[in-house]
Amino acid sequence: VKGKAVLLKPNFNSADAFPGSTHNTTLIGLIRQLKKMGARSITLGERCGPGSTARVMEEKGIAEICRAEEVQLINFEDLPESQWVRIRPSKSNWNDGFDVAKPVLEAECIVSTCCLKTHAYGGVFTMSLKLSVGLTHKRNMTELHFSYRSMRKMIAEINQAYSPSLIVMDALEAFVDGGPATGERKRADLIVAGTDRIAIDAVGLAILKDLGSNDAVMKREIFAQEQISRAVELGLGIDHPGRISLAADDALGREHAERLKRILQKG
């Protein structure tokens, strides 16, 4: 991020308490760390849903945070039509592609921060790959939500439109069932950071398996999950759990990393 204009993408699907949405303390901490890392500027951009983006941001006090931290704010939902670009990937389950906010496509550097949670409405889980849904136009959501059989693949396909420079997953707490707004909550006490969306989501699924989650997570191998398998097919990141390198900065973290490695190896 050094010397770059950073677009920061949080998880504001709703204003529900963390992990239903990005914790404001995590957001502030990440903004300050990006500044320490030398970011030239930071712009927070998001499109919420199904509720109003403006209302979600108001309930979370995001405008006040951005003013206090000298961060620009873009509500993608308020962008005019000229600021949306139709993306039509050559290999896609979308009927005629999807619309992505132009500031995302023009961003010099993208940093995304996701939560760790299951998704009760067809996605199975929502982490870094599904975070990309908030970069698309709200009109695309009807097709996505009514395409139950291909929904997970369509989520992965959105990720062809951009590539983040850094992903930070706040897994201090997780929804192990339910989600994305509310659900059964367990503590994981972890922050996971990396540059590969497939690796981040695979590690997130390993954490859910370690905590104990629902059947959709526990009874399916990590790389057999459709979001991940489709992302692998599209070449969006690593293609095998053996290619994930886990590093930690203390003995407890290394112990936890070893446990997650074993889960990843088993699938």
Side-chain angles (χ1 to χ4, degrees), residues 8-250:
L8 178 58
K9 168 65 172 76
N11 182 347
F12 293 162
N13 182 66
S14 67
D16 289 277
F18 173 78
S21 65
T22 298
H23 200 296
N24 284 4
T25 302
T26 299
L27 185 65
I28 293 167
L30 182 54
I31 288 168
R32 293 177 180 177
Q33 184 61 30
L34 291 172
K35 288 181 178 179
K36 287 180 182 178
M37 293 166 66
R40 186 174 81 251
S41 65
I42 301 172
T43 300
L44 188 152
E46 175 67 305
R47 193 272 298 162
C48 310
S52 157
T53 302
R55 186 169 64 249
V56 170
M57 289 186 174
E58 181 180 1
E59 289 179 12
K60 287 184 65 65
I62 300 304
E64 291 81 1
I65 289 173
C66 288
R67 280 194 293 269
E69 300 298 326
E70 299 181 322
V71 168
Q72 298 174 62
L73 179 62
I74 300 178
N75 175 349
F76 293 148
E77 196 170 348
D78 286 344
L79 291 175
E81 280 300 315
S82 61
Q83 289 297 299
W84 291 94
V85 178
R86 175 57 59 100
I87 304 294
R88 295 181 175 91
S90 58
K91 299 177 181 179
S92 176
N93 286 277
W94 292 83
N95 289 328
D96 188 34
F98 47 86
D99 302 298
V100 174
K102 199 171 183 180
V104 175
L105 303 177
E106 295 178 343
E108 190 175 14
C109 176
I110 297 175
V111 175
S112 60
T113 182
C114 54
C115 301
L116 174 61
K117 49 188 177 177
T118 50
H119 192 282
Y121 303 105
V124 179
F125 60 91
T126 171
M127 300 178 210
S128 72
L129 289 166
K130 195 169 186 306
L131 194 71
S132 304
V133 173
L135 304 175
T136 63
H137 199 286
K138 219 165 196 172
R139 62 172 160 254
N140 299 134
M141 295 305 95
T142 300
E143 181 183 351
L144 180 66
H145 291 138
F146 280 91
S147 304
Y148 185 82
R149 290 186 178 180
S150 54
M151 180 190 296
R152 274 86 52 199
K153 295 178 181 179
M154 293 165 72
I155 289 166
E157 289 163 2
I158 294 169
N159 287 268
Q160 296 176 92
Y162 80 109
S163 182
S165 297
L166 176 66
I167 306 141
V168 179
M169 181 167 67
D170 186 342
L172 293 180
E173 294 184 37
F175 287 151
V176 296
D177 196 17
T182 60
E184 181 185 347
R185 191 188 309 255
K186 289 186 181 180
R187 289 196 66 87
D189 293 318
L190 293 169
I191 296 286
V192 181
T195 58
D196 187 304
R197 286 164 285 187
I198 296 174
I200 288 285
D201 285 17
V203 171
L205 285 163
I207 295 169
L208 290 178
K209 285 176 178 284
D210 190 39
L211 294 173
S213 187
N214 59 32
D215 285 351
V217 171
M218 302 300 290
K219 293 187 176 182
R220 184 179 289 266
E221 291 187 359
I222 291 170
F223 275 69
Q225 292 285 357
E226 282 189 309
Q227 282 191 55
I228 288 184
S229 63
R230 183 62 177 141
V232 169
E233 290 173 356
L234 296 169
L236 295 175
I238 55 108
D239 59 2
H240 188 274
R243 295 189 172 185
I244 299 173
S245 176
L246 293 175
D249 61 356
D250 60 19

